[in-house]
Amino acid sequence: MENLSTGIVMTPDQLLELWQGHRRVTRRVIEAFPEEEFFEFTIGEMRPFSAMVIEIMSMQMPGVYGIATRDWETATHMFAEINKTNFETKEDILTIWDKATRDIDTYWKQIPVERFQETEKAFGQWEAQCYWLIYYFIDNEIHHRGQGTVYLRALDIEPPAFYDRS
């Protein structure tokens, strides 16, 4: 039987495009929120969507930076800086979101294909292969975007279509 572990399902560029498509959808979910509700609306014990978005941002770009450069000390500092930033407006967050999108594209180009199979301890906390860490960043975003979508529906706002990643 052929060794299937040497095959690929998608290229790194295809994975990046899939991820950036998810980021475009998440950005539209952020935009759909009224300013006050973005920072204050909650259901049950869940956090406001703004806090979820800050969590997403704190992992993604610093995580790609760490994978690309192997400099997890700087990545961990970036992670902490984003988490302690006092974002006052939705526009403040969207500005950082857009910068992170560009930075992800920039650092992604520096990741050699074999790097995706290497194991790292991201942010001094999560030890896994780099491809798994990237999947975690994506899964975390999708999870929180789903929560944001529930919030929008509770606010009687039609959320953006999750399948339109353009």
Side-chain angles (χ1 to χ4, degrees), residues 21-26 28 145 160-166:
H22 281 293
R23 289 181 56 77
R24 288 187 290 270
V25 176
T26 302
R28 288 194 295 272
R145 185 176 70 227
F162 72 90
Y163 51 83
D164 179 5
R165 297 186 189 146
S166 59

Side-chain angles (χ1 to χ4, degrees), residues 1 27 54 75 91 143 145 147 159 165:
M1 184 171 195
R27 190 185 198 290
I54 291 166
E91 192 56 42
H143 164 71
R145 185 176 70 227
Q147 292 173 309
R165 297 186 189 146

Side-chain angles (χ1 to χ4, degrees), residues 23-147:
R23 289 181 56 77
R24 288 187 290 270
V25 176
T26 302
R27 190 185 198 290
R28 288 194 295 272
V29 171
I30 296 166
E31 289 173 329
F33 268 84
E35 186 80 23
E36 184 176 327
E37 284 79 0
F38 181 64
F39 288 95
E40 295 180 12
F41 186 79
T42 64
I43 295 174
E45 299 295 316
M46 295 193 313
R47 300 172 286 167
F49 190 54
S50 62
M52 296 176 201
V53 170
I54 291 166
E55 176 188 309
I56 292 166
M57 293 191 312
S58 72
M59 274 192 242
Q60 289 187 344
M61 196 291 292
V64 171
Y65 173 87
I67 290 168
T69 65
R70 301 174 191 262
D71 179 3
W72 287 101
E73 184 176 330
T74 299
T76 301
H77 177 73
M78 295 166 147
F79 176 94
E81 285 298 309
I82 292 168
N83 273 301
K84 72 179 186 182
T85 299
N86 183 23
F87 295 98
E88 294 185 13
T89 68
K90 191 169 64 167
E91 192 56 42
D92 290 343
I93 286 181
L94 287 170
T95 297
I96 298 301
W97 185 269
D98 292 343
K99 181 182 182 320
T101 298
R102 293 187 302 273
D103 290 346
I104 288 168
D105 284 341
T106 297
Y107 289 114
W108 190 270
K109 293 174 189 168
Q110 298 173 28
I111 303 172
V113 69
E114 61 275 4
R115 180 82 172 115
F116 292 95
Q117 297 300 320
E118 294 175 7
T119 299
E120 283 288 338
K121 192 167 189 177
F123 308 113
Q125 299 179 54
W126 304 296
E127 188 167 352
Q129 289 174 297
C130 292
Y131 78 85
W132 188 95
L133 293 168
I134 291 164
Y135 288 167
Y136 180 82
F137 304 152
I138 297 168
D139 290 345
N140 181 264
E141 175 181 344
I142 294 168
H143 164 71
H144 288 310
R145 185 176 70 227
Q147 292 173 309

